[in-house]
Amino acid sequence: MAITMLYFAWVRERVGIGEEVIDPPEVVRNVADLIDWLSRRSDGHAAALSEPAKLRAAIDQRFVGLDAELGNAREVALFPPVTGG
Amino acid sequence: MIRVSVDPAPIELGVEVAALEARGAGGIATFTGVVRTDDGVEALELEHYPGMTEAALCALAEAAMDRWNLLGATIVHRVGRMTAGERIVFVGTAAAHRREALEACTYLIDRLKTDAPFWKREWLAGGARWVEPRATDAQAAAHWL
């Protein structure tokens, strides 16, 4: 099923785009799987996603751990740790 | 009453405080975050996750309203580019007595730093750098769990 990917801050800069629609295979079950699969799409993806420990994620606009199952996710966001306030 | 705003426009402190005072509270507590003038930073840029940001801030304000006996909670966060000395964030709480207002205000700014999807980038003479999160911010937020 199609998932809208969103990238923010330096993840967006390295990927080279802020948004894309993807259709990962069924073996991609959780966020960590997705990061691994996405990192092979382009050099930019590889540069942004090579160190998953530096990434945080949200599924359908809720913060989740990288072990979170994608389930029926429609929107997944990848970004660095937040620094607001 | 909750007010949450994520906006590139400058934060109007007087307007925000007056709205909290109009709640009929005995005490108003406020926190204002300002772009630092040290470290050679010329400007600050705030990126956010439209939609999720507003929802996260509303959830925080609702949690504060439930936890303390508040008459009002306001969170205003500026986004986009701003220069040294300008306001980044305003948090205000209204309650019958000072302790609820002060504690809830601290709670909101502590949790906002870790629970809302904002990213800061500093602009210096030599270029730009993304701000790294501080361990002390995570500790301050965890204190309220």
Short mmCIF file of all heavy atoms in Angstrom, two decimals, chain A residues 25 35 47-48 50 55 59 67 69 77:
data_model
loop_
_atom_site.label_atom_id
_atom_site.label_comp_id
_atom_site.label_asym_id
_atom_site.label_seq_id
_atom_site.Cartn_x
_atom_site.Cartn_y
_atom_site.Cartn_z
N PRO A 25 7.81 -3.28 -0.39
CA PRO A 25 7.36 -4.68 -0.43
C PRO A 25 6.91 -5.15 0.96
O PRO A 25 7.20 -4.50 1.97
CB PRO A 25 8.61 -5.43 -0.88
CG PRO A 25 9.76 -4.57 -0.45
CD PRO A 25 9.27 -3.15 -0.55
N ILE A 35 13.57 2.20 6.85
CA ILE A 35 14.78 3.01 6.74
C ILE A 35 15.82 2.27 5.91
O ILE A 35 16.44 2.84 5.00
CB ILE A 35 15.33 3.36 8.15
CG1 ILE A 35 14.39 4.36 8.84
CG2 ILE A 35 16.75 3.93 8.05
CD1 ILE A 35 14.68 4.56 10.32
N ALA A 47 22.81 8.82 2.31
CA ALA A 47 23.50 9.79 3.17
C ALA A 47 22.63 10.18 4.37
O ALA A 47 23.11 10.38 5.48
CB ALA A 47 23.86 11.04 2.36
N ALA A 48 21.32 10.28 4.15
CA ALA A 48 20.41 10.72 5.21
C ALA A 48 20.12 9.61 6.22
O ALA A 48 19.91 9.88 7.40
CB ALA A 48 19.10 11.20 4.60
N SER A 50 21.84 6.52 6.78
CA SER A 50 22.86 5.51 7.06
C SER A 50 23.04 5.24 8.55
O SER A 50 23.56 4.18 8.92
CB SER A 50 24.20 5.94 6.45
OG SER A 50 24.62 7.15 7.05
N LEU A 55 18.10 8.96 13.95
CA LEU A 55 16.79 9.30 13.39
C LEU A 55 15.66 9.08 14.39
O LEU A 55 15.75 8.23 15.27
CB LEU A 55 16.52 8.43 12.15
CG LEU A 55 17.53 8.56 11.00
CD1 LEU A 55 17.21 7.55 9.91
CD2 LEU A 55 17.53 9.98 10.45
N ILE A 59 4.51 7.93 12.80
CA ILE A 59 3.56 7.26 11.91
C ILE A 59 2.22 7.96 12.07
O ILE A 59 1.71 8.09 13.19
CB ILE A 59 3.42 5.76 12.26
CG1 ILE A 59 4.73 5.01 11.98
CG2 ILE A 59 2.27 5.13 11.47
CD1 ILE A 59 4.68 3.52 12.32
N ASP A 67 11.20 0.49 16.13
CA ASP A 67 10.69 -0.88 16.09
C ASP A 67 9.18 -0.93 15.84
O ASP A 67 8.60 -2.02 15.79
CB ASP A 67 11.04 -1.62 17.39
CG ASP A 67 10.46 -0.94 18.62
OD1 ASP A 67 9.96 0.20 18.49
OD2 ASP A 67 10.50 -1.55 19.70
N GLU A 69 5.65 -1.22 14.20
CA GLU A 69 5.11 -1.84 12.99
C GLU A 69 4.44 -0.78 12.13
O GLU A 69 3.77 0.12 12.64
CB GLU A 69 4.06 -2.89 13.37
CG GLU A 69 4.61 -4.04 14.20
CD GLU A 69 5.35 -5.08 13.36
OE1 GLU A 69 4.94 -5.30 12.20
OE2 GLU A 69 6.33 -5.64 13.85
N ALA A 77 6.99 9.84 8.79
CA ALA A 77 7.96 10.93 8.75
C ALA A 77 9.26 10.48 9.42
O ALA A 77 9.23 9.77 10.42
CB ALA A 77 7.41 12.16 9.46
#
